[in-house]
PDB file of all heavy atoms in Angstrom:
ATOM      1  N   GLY A 140      10.907   0.693  30.790  1.00 96.00           N
ATOM      2  CA  GLY A 140       9.833   1.651  31.059  1.00 96.00           C
ATOM      3  C   GLY A 140       8.936   1.113  32.145  1.00 96.00           C
ATOM      4  O   GLY A 140       9.426   0.652  33.185  1.00 96.00           O
ATOM      5  N   THR A 141       7.633   1.123  31.911  1.00 95.00           N
ATOM      6  CA  THR A 141       6.698   0.535  32.868  1.00 95.00           C
ATOM      7  C   THR A 141       7.023  -0.951  33.017  1.00 95.00           C
ATOM      8  O   THR A 141       7.017  -1.505  34.111  1.00 95.00           O
ATOM      9  CB  THR A 141       5.249   0.688  32.354  1.00 95.00           C
ATOM     10  OG1 THR A 141       5.063   2.027  31.898  1.00 95.00           O
ATOM     11  CG2 THR A 141       4.258   0.370  33.437  1.00 95.00           C
ATOM     12  N   GLY A 142       7.286  -1.602  31.888  1.00 96.00           N
ATOM     13  CA  GLY A 142       7.765  -2.987  31.885  1.00 96.00           C
ATOM     14  C   GLY A 142       9.138  -3.034  31.241  1.00 96.00           C
ATOM     15  O   GLY A 142       9.794  -1.990  31.067  1.00 96.00           O
ATOM     16  N   ILE A 143       9.585  -4.230  30.915  1.00 98.00           N
ATOM     17  CA  ILE A 143      10.776  -4.374  30.063  1.00 98.00           C
ATOM     18  C   ILE A 143      10.312  -5.060  28.789  1.00 98.00           C
ATOM     19  O   ILE A 143       9.748  -6.159  28.832  1.00 98.00           O
ATOM     20  CB  ILE A 143      11.882  -5.211  30.734  1.00 98.00           C
ATOM     21  CG1 ILE A 143      12.423  -4.504  31.986  1.00 98.00           C
ATOM     22  CG2 ILE A 143      13.038  -5.448  29.731  1.00 98.00           C
ATOM     23  CD1 ILE A 143      13.542  -5.267  32.708  1.00 98.00           C
ATOM     24  N   GLY A 144      10.519  -4.374  27.664  1.00 98.00           N
ATOM     25  CA  GLY A 144      10.193  -4.965  26.366  1.00 98.00           C
ATOM     26  C   GLY A 144      11.464  -5.426  25.691  1.00 98.00           C
ATOM     27  O   GLY A 144      12.555  -4.971  26.029  1.00 98.00           O
ATOM     28  N   SER A 145      11.331  -6.333  24.728  1.00 98.00           N
ATOM     29  CA  SER A 145      12.539  -6.799  24.039  1.00 98.00           C
ATOM     30  C   SER A 145      12.257  -7.037  22.566  1.00 98.00           C
ATOM     31  O   SER A 145      11.148  -7.396  22.171  1.00 98.00           O
ATOM     32  CB  SER A 145      13.057  -8.094  24.682  1.00 98.00           C
ATOM     33  OG  SER A 145      12.094  -9.122  24.596  1.00 98.00           O
ATOM     34  N   ALA A 146      13.314  -6.812  21.777  1.00 98.00           N
ATOM     35  CA  ALA A 146      13.268  -7.146  20.347  1.00 98.00           C
ATOM     36  C   ALA A 146      14.543  -7.910  20.026  1.00 98.00           C
ATOM     37  O   ALA A 146      15.647  -7.439  20.318  1.00 98.00           O
ATOM     38  CB  ALA A 146      13.187  -5.876  19.506  1.00 98.00           C
ATOM     39  N   LEU A 147      14.381  -9.081  19.445  1.00 98.00           N
ATOM     40  CA  LEU A 147      15.530  -9.883  19.008  1.00 98.00           C
ATOM     41  C   LEU A 147      15.743  -9.615  17.524  1.00 98.00           C
ATOM     42  O   LEU A 147      14.818  -9.807  16.724  1.00 98.00           O
ATOM     43  CB  LEU A 147      15.254 -11.380  19.176  1.00 98.00           C
ATOM     44  CG  LEU A 147      15.141 -11.961  20.576  1.00 98.00           C
ATOM     45  CD1 LEU A 147      15.017 -13.483  20.491  1.00 98.00           C
ATOM     46  CD2 LEU A 147      16.344 -11.594  21.428  1.00 98.00           C
ATOM     47  N   LEU A 148      16.947  -9.197  17.183  1.00 97.00           N
ATOM     48  CA  LEU A 148      17.267  -8.868  15.798  1.00 97.00           C
ATOM     49  C   LEU A 148      18.455  -9.728  15.389  1.00 97.00           C
ATOM     50  O   LEU A 148      19.530  -9.608  15.991  1.00 97.00           O
ATOM     51  CB  LEU A 148      17.633  -7.386  15.684  1.00 97.00           C
ATOM     52  CG  LEU A 148      16.590  -6.405  16.260  1.00 97.00           C
ATOM     53  CD1 LEU A 148      17.196  -5.026  16.459  1.00 97.00           C
ATOM     54  CD2 LEU A 148      15.386  -6.323  15.322  1.00 97.00           C
ATOM     55  N   TYR A 149      18.248 -10.593  14.408  1.00 97.00           N
ATOM     56  CA  TYR A 149      19.344 -11.468  14.011  1.00 97.00           C
ATOM     57  C   TYR A 149      19.697 -11.234  12.545  1.00 97.00           C
ATOM     58  O   TYR A 149      18.863 -11.408  11.658  1.00 97.00           O
ATOM     59  CB  TYR A 149      18.978 -12.938  14.241  1.00 97.00           C
ATOM     60  CG  TYR A 149      20.175 -13.822  14.015  1.00 97.00           C
ATOM     61  CD1 TYR A 149      21.201 -13.858  14.955  1.00 97.00           C
ATOM     62  CD2 TYR A 149      20.324 -14.541  12.845  1.00 97.00           C
ATOM     63  CE1 TYR A 149      22.333 -14.611  14.746  1.00 97.00           C
ATOM     64  CE2 TYR A 149      21.455 -15.303  12.620  1.00 97.00           C
ATOM     65  CZ  TYR A 149      22.460 -15.334  13.582  1.00 97.00           C
ATOM     66  OH  TYR A 149      23.586 -16.071  13.368  1.00 97.00           O
ATOM     67  N   ASP A 150      20.917 -10.805  12.290  1.00 95.00           N
ATOM     68  CA  ASP A 150      21.364 -10.483  10.925  1.00 95.00           C
ATOM     69  C   ASP A 150      20.337  -9.620  10.194  1.00 95.00           C
ATOM     70  O   ASP A 150      19.993  -9.873   9.028  1.00 95.00           O
ATOM     71  CB  ASP A 150      21.626 -11.769  10.122  1.00 95.00           C
ATOM     72  CG  ASP A 150      23.012 -12.351  10.428  1.00 95.00           C
ATOM     73  OD1 ASP A 150      23.784 -11.695  11.158  1.00 95.00           O
ATOM     74  OD2 ASP A 150      23.304 -13.449   9.923  1.00 95.00           O
ATOM     75  N   GLY A 151      19.836  -8.596  10.871  1.00 93.00           N
ATOM     76  CA  GLY A 151      18.935  -7.647  10.228  1.00 93.00           C
ATOM     77  C   GLY A 151      17.490  -8.082  10.143  1.00 93.00           C
ATOM     78  O   GLY A 151      16.685  -7.427   9.478  1.00 93.00           O
TER      79      GLY A 151
END
Side-chain angles (χ1 to χ4, degrees):
T141 314
I143 295 181
S145 61
L147 292 186
L148 306 164
Y149 188 74
D150 278 354

